Amino acid sequence: MAAEPDNHGLGRSRGGLTTKIRLAVDASFHVLAAVITAGQRGDAPVFERVMEKIRVPRVSVGHPRTRPKHVLADRAYSSLQIRPFLRKRGIAHTIPEKRDQAGHRIRRGAAGGRPPGFDREMYKRRHKVECRIGLLKQARGVATRYDKLAVRCQATVQLTLIRQAL
């Protein structure tokens, strides 16, 4: 079978044709950004796209905030691309280190550097993203994904978010 076109946002994984919804959520369960990707796409390459979509309007006048104070993410986001990206932008983060990365670092000894800081209590707050995704998938159109085009799926997600905000 030929590969799916990029505008479909469908990808092959163990379960067949699937889609992933990448969300950025604040502490109040509000979705700051949503990106639709093919199911087999990795998390690290899409992270910067999600971060670029964040726009939080200011209470007073001025440009919207585009930089969160702190990022909580799971092990999939522990990559050599993401940590420097966050560090360069001055964003604090709590991302657990993958076991293989820790093994490589330890094997290199002093040249491997220090382990990244990790706060378990702060990481426990990450459940809000999982809860928000669960709430989003209560909508049948999002959970089943009958739309073939990624733009229609994105529209379905946006409409569901608007409906759930009311």
Side-chain angles (χ1 to χ4, degrees):
M1 179 176 166
E4 285 287 321
D6 289 338
N7 65 350
H8 284 194
L10 293 170
R12 290 244 175 246
S13 68
R14 291 180 187 175
L17 289 174
T18 59
T19 301
K20 281 190 183 177
I21 302 171
R22 321 294 177 139
L23 294 180
V25 178
D26 68 1
S28 303
F29 289 102
H30 296 117
V31 176
L32 303 175
V35 175
I36 307 295
T37 62
Q40 83 279 7
R41 287 287 311 268
D43 296 318
V46 182
F47 180 77
E48 290 183 27
R49 265 191 17 206
V50 174
M51 294 296 287
E52 289 169 0
K53 285 188 157 232
I54 295 176
R55 299 277 182 269
V56 180
R58 296 189 187 270
V59 176
S60 59
V61 277
H63 295 289
R65 285 190 56 221
T66 59
R67 187 178 308 184
K69 292 179 184 171
H70 200 97
V71 171
L72 301 172
D74 62 3
R75 276 189 168 83
Y77 292 94
S78 175
S79 80
L80 298 176
Q81 296 171 336
I82 292 175
R83 289 184 197 275
F85 171 79
L86 293 172
R87 203 173 300 121
K88 186 175 87 177
R89 294 187 71 192
I91 301 171
H93 62 277
T94 303
I95 303 172
E97 188 177 26
K98 289 182 180 178
R99 289 187 185 96
D100 65 331
Q101 289 176 349
H104 295 308
R105 182 180 44 75
I106 291 168
R107 190 179 67 241
R108 293 186 66 205
R114 294 186 312 222
F118 181 72
D119 182 5
R120 283 190 184 278
E121 291 305 313
M122 178 69 89
Y123 187 69
K124 289 179 182 177
R125 299 180 191 173
R126 202 188 71 77
H127 79 282
K128 293 184 179 191
V129 176
E130 301 298 335
C131 292
R132 190 63 178 108
I133 289 173
L135 184 64
L136 184 63
K137 287 188 175 181
Q138 285 181 0
R140 184 173 179 228
V142 175
T144 55
R145 172 83 201 268
Y146 290 122
D147 308 311
K148 187 151 185 157
L149 295 177
V151 290
R152 290 190 187 145
C153 183
Q154 181 81 27
T156 304
V157 169
Q158 292 298 328
L159 287 171
T160 302
L161 291 171
I162 291 168
R163 195 182 83 226
Q164 289 177 349
L166 298 177

